[in-house]
Every structure is written in structure tokens, then in C-alpha cells.
Amino acid sequence: MSKDILTFTSPAAAGVSPKCVSTFLDDVRARELALHSFVFLRHGKVFAEGYAAPFKEGEFHRMYSVSKTFVSMAVGALIGEGKLSLDDPVSKYLPEFSELWVDDGLWNGKKMLHKAQNVLTVR
């Protein structure tokens, strides 16, 4: 990470047990996850980071399908700030989703729809 942009601290100073970081790394190894790198922040300060070979700090590498990563991170931040709940109806944020219809397929050559009985949630 760029040392001139972020503030760094220890896990303990960030209020996180160092055991949590080691447990995370143990779980990554046990599950044989292909982790390129990780950075943990709390209260705007980096308290742990790591890079898996052959990746190195400050080195660019190709990443595919990262939009899910950024969306998940944003959703987690919004939940943490109390601005979003996974049980919120999608229509709270996108009003055009307030009235949904379900496709029942064709009947006598005509498309059949019925109004959805359940509310679509963020979850």
C-alpha cells in the first residue's frame, strides 16, 4: 500500500485482536483460497496487510470480475453506517422496482404475468 496515503497502526491499537488476523490467515490456508492480497482497515487505519507469492506490494496484477468485490465492500460499509439493511426492499432505493411482475410463460400463445407476491429485498 502507498505509505503516503494511508495511516498504519497495529491490530491491537486498532482494537482488533492480533489472533483474529492469524485466524483469518489460517482459514485462508486451510481452505486453499487463491488470495492475491488483503488489507484490513479499522477507523480509517490499516492494521494488517499481506501479499501472496508471486504478488508483491505496489505491483500491479490483472484481476477479473472485481465489480462484485467493490459492490460487496460498499454494501458492507453502508450496513456498518446504518444506511442499508439486507432486509430493505429494493424499491426503497429504486422506486421502479416497487411493482414487480412474474413471467408465467405462454398460455394459448399469450404471455402470462402475475403480480409478485413477495417483496424483492437487497439480500
Side-chain angles (χ1 to χ4, degrees):
M1 298 246 83
S2 179
K3 306 298 183 204
D4 58 338
I5 296 174
L6 298 170
T7 304
F8 290 76
T9 190
S10 68
V16 176
S17 167
K19 176 84 172 130
C20 291
V21 177
S22 61
T23 299
F24 166 77
L25 293 171
D26 290 343
D27 286 348
V28 167
R29 285 186 204 102
R31 296 175 190 205
E32 298 179 352
L33 300 176
L35 186 69
H36 293 199
S37 60
F38 72 91
V39 177
F40 291 152
L41 289 97
R42 184 152 195 239
H43 305 300
K45 295 180 181 178
V46 175
F47 66 86
E49 67 178 311
Y51 305 87
F55 306 104
K56 298 179 182 122
E57 179 182 2
E59 187 176 89
F60 291 108
H61 61 275
R62 187 178 310 271
M63 297 186 334
Y64 297 95
S65 193
V66 296
S67 60
K68 291 183 283 288
T69 301
F70 290 109
V71 169
S72 297
M73 191 170 62
V75 166
L78 289 169
I79 289 170
E81 294 173 6
K83 296 178 180 177
L84 177 79
S85 167
L86 293 180
D87 296 320
D88 285 343
V90 172
S91 60
K92 179 177 179 179
Y93 308 100
L94 302 167
E96 59 271 25
F97 281 82
S98 62
E99 190 171 305
L100 298 177
W101 294 84
V102 178
D103 185 346
D104 287 330
L106 295 177
W107 187 74
N108 285 340
K110 294 182 181 178
K111 189 172 200 137
M112 301 300 293
L113 300 173
H114 73 270
K115 190 171 180 179
Q117 294 178 352
N118 299 315
V119 175
L120 180 65
T121 63
V122 174
R123 186 178 306 274

